[in-house]
Amino acid sequence: MPLLEDSKRGETLRVLSLIGLCLFLFCFGLHSRVLWDVDEGMHAVMTKNILLTGDWVTPTFNGENFYDKPILFNWLGAMCFLIFGFNEFAARLPASIFGTAGVLVTYYLGRKMFGSTTGFLGGVILASSAEYLLLSRVVVHDVALTLFTTLALCFFYFGLVDVERRKRYFLLFWVAAGFAILAKGPLGLALPGLVIGVFLLATRRLGLIKGMQIGWGLLILLLVAGPWYVAISLRNPDYLRYFLLEKNLGSFASSDTHHAGPIYFYFRALSFGLLPWVTFVPLATIGAIRNRDRGPGDAVLFLLIWAGAIFAFFSLATAKLESYILPIFPAVALLFALYWRAALTEPSPARRRGLLWSWSPLVGLMVAAVIYLWVTPPTSLQAKAGLDLPRVYGFIWAVAALVIFVFGLLWIRKTAAAMTAIVALTGTSMVLFNLVLAPPMAPYRATKELGLRLDQRLPPGKPYVFYNRIRDSAMFYTDREAVVLENPSELLELFESEKREYCILDERRLKDLEDLKDLFFVIDQDGNKYLISNRPDP
């Protein structure tokens, strides 16, 4: 990967290169994959409802108010629907926009800290990290929180090192925090506040708090985020109690949560989320700790505290999801970029060996995966996910070949080419997934086709009936609401009706109803989902 010259022309090329990379990684094939069940369909339905109902204040799903997430992501989604229509591309485009903006903010922060080259490499590493790439391509809110958290911390750092314009940057910090609150609630202020507090304490700069314009900042928060929170609270008096106490405080402290996980949960999550860069964690961490006072304003220490404080915060919380940890990715990407910049511009035998042996575990893992799949073919994938063996083998072999190719480049000391190949590895994996793996998986991860076929059978206004689990993708494509039956007795009651009734369920739940098989007929099937009825198909 060529290092662009540090000039106005080089600046333009760096920014355009990052935008081009993001357009490819985040937008390729957005329209070609149907919305999947669980979260994607639900958030797309809520966004669609804004336009169908004209209500830009209260998010709704399945006929009920939805208080779990603030509205910012849905607002941008609604504007995309207005421009491009109700389709998969428009539904996913907000995540791509937020993801691209996050990469650019990371670049400008890295440039301020360590120079243009490090900032550029940090943006490239962030864009090509597996979890950041994935969440910039799906209909979820976390990438919006990550953008505005990064932007808030970026403005704080700018104010820290630029005394002349400190007041301006600190005021912009509060603007970014306000949008972060609109994106994900109190976390939008809590996360940057935690990082800043720990950093100021560690560097004995607590006096800087007085210069952060807290009075004006609170006013800015009210002006940016306040109008929507006031409007939804006036319309729905139960909103603040649920959102602040049950959803946010409860997710951190309550043991009664659907997403509980052990304290080491995020070590495992990052093992996937930072692919293919994860094997460089030891090198980057050791290098950063040794040089923690490097950069203006203790920049490296700031990044270490950023990543460590947020990681610890979510590890201590009761509710855990892989996507929650996304706000640490910009800091981690810049720490990786520091080591790679040194390896590219100041090569030494020690750094070359470090890169080579850091990449070796991934080579071993891919070789082991190829051997394991050859010895123990995953024949069950066809029934569980629609994936036949040639597709799986082709994907794994292609990825393994690129991993070995990177190792070869590192072996012959082609460091710049190796980094370019790692980015190509991520892009190739994304393209192969969309073209090879995603199409046959669609009937197993989405309910679009079966929902559309049932839509032709149902009278207008009649809701879908799902057993055990809602299938939100079907609801997006047909604008129908749904009823979810939780147990066999509710299904039995439905099928005792004198009218024709239908229900969608998956293969596993169908097998659980073996004792009731004389009471229903299988009418249709798509993937691992079935349509059953209390009457035979006419």
Side-chain angles (χ1 to χ4, degrees):
M1 180 172 296
L3 302 181
L4 303 172
E5 56 188 301
D6 195 7
S7 63
K8 186 173 182 180
R9 178 174 176 272
E11 171 77 1
T12 302
L13 288 175
R14 281 188 291 272
V15 172
L16 291 178
S17 297
L18 288 174
I19 292 174
L21 178 66
C22 291
L23 286 175
F24 171 65
L25 292 177
F26 302 162
C27 295
F28 175 86
L30 283 188
H31 65 288
S32 62
R33 180 172 64 82
V34 299
L35 297 179
W36 283 4
D37 288 322
V38 186
D39 286 348
E40 268 214 308
M42 177 182 67
H43 292 306
V45 167
M46 286 192 294
T47 302
K48 191 176 184 180
N49 285 344
I50 290 178
L51 298 181
L52 296 180
T53 65
D55 187 351
W56 291 72
V57 175
T58 305
T60 59
F61 176 69
N62 200 28
E64 298 180 355
N65 294 344
F66 188 89
Y67 295 156
D68 285 17
K69 300 288 191 298
I71 198 84
L72 181 63
F73 189 94
N74 303 104
W75 280 346
L76 182 56
M79 288 185 278
C80 291
F81 279 150
L82 279 173
I83 298 171
F84 299 104
F86 296 127
N87 54 61
E88 297 87 353
F89 175 79
R92 296 185 176 116
L93 186 58
S96 301
I97 293 173
F98 286 127
T100 301
V103 169
L104 294 177
V105 172
T106 301
Y107 162 66
Y108 284 111
L109 177 60
R111 186 185 68 169
K112 186 75 169 181
M113 287 178 162
F114 312 112
S116 299
T117 298
T118 303
F120 177 73
L121 296 178
V124 170
I125 292 171
L126 177 63
S128 55
S129 295
E131 185 171 337
Y132 193 88
L133 168 60
L134 173 64
L135 294 180
S136 296
R137 296 178 54 85
V138 296
V139 193
V140 295
H141 293 237
D142 300 271
V143 71
L145 172 66
T146 299
L147 165 62
F148 291 110
T149 298
T150 304
L151 191 60
L153 290 170
C154 179
F155 284 135
F156 167 79
Y157 181 80
F158 284 1
L160 176 71
V161 298
D162 190 341
V163 178
E164 293 183 2
R165 289 177 283 189
R166 176 171 290 174
K167 181 178 179 179
R168 179 192 309 173
Y169 284 129
F170 282 169
L171 291 176
L172 288 173
F173 161 83
W174 293 104
V175 174
F179 280 104
I181 292 172
L182 265 181
K184 206 71 185 288
L187 280 177
L189 182 60
L191 295 183
L194 173 65
V195 173
I196 292 168
V198 174
F199 175 75
L200 294 180
L201 185 64
T203 56
R204 299 180 182 180
R205 294 172 174 160
L206 289 175
L208 193 62
I209 294 177
K210 296 180 181 179
M212 290 194 65
Q213 313 290 319
I214 293 178
W216 285 107
L218 294 177
L219 178 61
I220 290 172
L221 290 182
L222 289 175
L223 291 175
V224 174
W228 177 76
Y229 280 97
V230 170
I232 191 173
S233 299
L234 290 176
R235 288 193 186 183
N236 310 279
D238 58 332
Y239 172 76
L240 285 180
R241 177 195 59 79
Y242 171 82
F243 184 66
L244 294 178
L245 298 180
E246 295 184 27
K247 181 62 182 175
N248 283 270
L249 185 60
S251 294
F252 186 85
S254 175
S255 59
D256 183 19
T257 176
H258 296 297
H259 305 301
I263 196 168
Y264 56 83
F265 177 87
Y266 288 112
F267 288 100
R268 184 177 59 197
L270 286 179
S271 297
F272 163 77
L274 287 174
L275 284 172
W277 307 97
V278 66
T279 55
F280 301 108
V281 167
L283 275 181
T285 303
I286 294 172
I289 292 174
R290 288 176 175 174
N291 299 278
R292 56 187 177 274
D293 58 346
R294 182 179 172 186
D298 298 313
V300 173
L301 180 61
F302 182 68
L303 294 175
L304 285 169
I305 290 174
W306 176 346
I310 295 178
F311 184 89
F313 175 85
F314 283 114
S315 294
L316 292 174
T318 303
K320 293 181 175 68
L321 284 175
E322 289 83 354
S323 59
Y324 290 173
I325 206 69
L326 193 67
I328 78 170
F329 276 58
V332 173
L334 288 174
L335 291 174
F336 283 172
L338 271 176
Y339 192 90
W340 274 96
R341 181 187 183 279
L344 290 166
T345 59
E346 303 170 16
S348 68
R351 288 196 177 103
R352 287 168 175 158
R353 285 195 302 270
L355 292 175
L356 181 68
W357 296 117
S358 292
W359 190 253
S360 300
L362 196 56
V363 175
L365 180 64
M366 293 308 304
V367 171
V370 169
I371 296 173
Y372 178 80
L373 291 176
W374 185 266
V375 175
T376 311
T379 54
S380 62
L381 282 178
Q382 179 69 57
K384 293 180 178 179
L387 294 174
D388 55 72
L389 291 182
R391 291 176 185 269
V392 176
Y393 287 153
F395 179 82
I396 296 296
W397 289 343
V399 172
L402 284 171
V403 169
I404 295 171
F405 179 65
V406 171
F407 184 84
L409 291 174
L410 291 172
W411 182 272
I412 62 175
R413 302 178 181 181
K414 299 292 185 181
T415 307
M419 187 174 191
T420 304
I422 293 174
V423 178
L425 166 64
T426 301
T428 302
S429 300
M430 180 272 295
V431 170
L432 289 177
F433 176 82
N434 277 272
L435 297 181
V436 177
L437 299 185
M441 291 174 66
Y444 295 80
R445 298 302 303 270
T447 318
K448 175 184 178 180
E449 296 303 326
L450 196 58
L452 288 173
R453 296 202 289 264
L454 177 55
D455 182 61
Q456 300 299 314
R457 298 171 179 266
L458 294 177
K462 187 176 178 64
Y464 288 129
V465 177
F466 300 116
Y467 182 65
N468 188 253
R469 190 175 194 179
I470 199 165
R471 303 289 171 177
D472 43 42
S473 64
M475 300 165 67
F476 173 79
Y477 291 104
T478 62
D479 296 332
R480 289 186 185 270
E481 295 181 354
V483 174
V484 180
L485 306 180
E486 301 291 347
N487 53 64
S489 62
E490 293 180 344
L491 187 63
L492 178 61
E493 182 180 352
L494 175 77
F495 282 170
E496 287 177 344
S497 170
E498 296 182 357
K499 299 180 180 179
R500 177 183 296 276
E501 301 290 350
Y502 297 96
C503 178
I504 293 178
L505 73 172
D506 62 29
E507 185 175 20
R508 176 184 169 191
R509 302 304 174 188
L510 183 64
K511 292 179 179 178
D512 292 342
L513 299 175
E514 184 69 20
D515 295 340
L516 302 179
K517 64 181 181 179
D518 295 334
L519 300 179
F520 62 82
F521 302 86
V522 176
I523 303 299
D524 201 352
Q525 176 188 2
D526 188 42
N528 64 340
K529 286 174 282 293
Y530 292 81
L531 175 63
I532 62 176
S533 175
N534 58 346
R535 300 284 189 275
D537 204 23

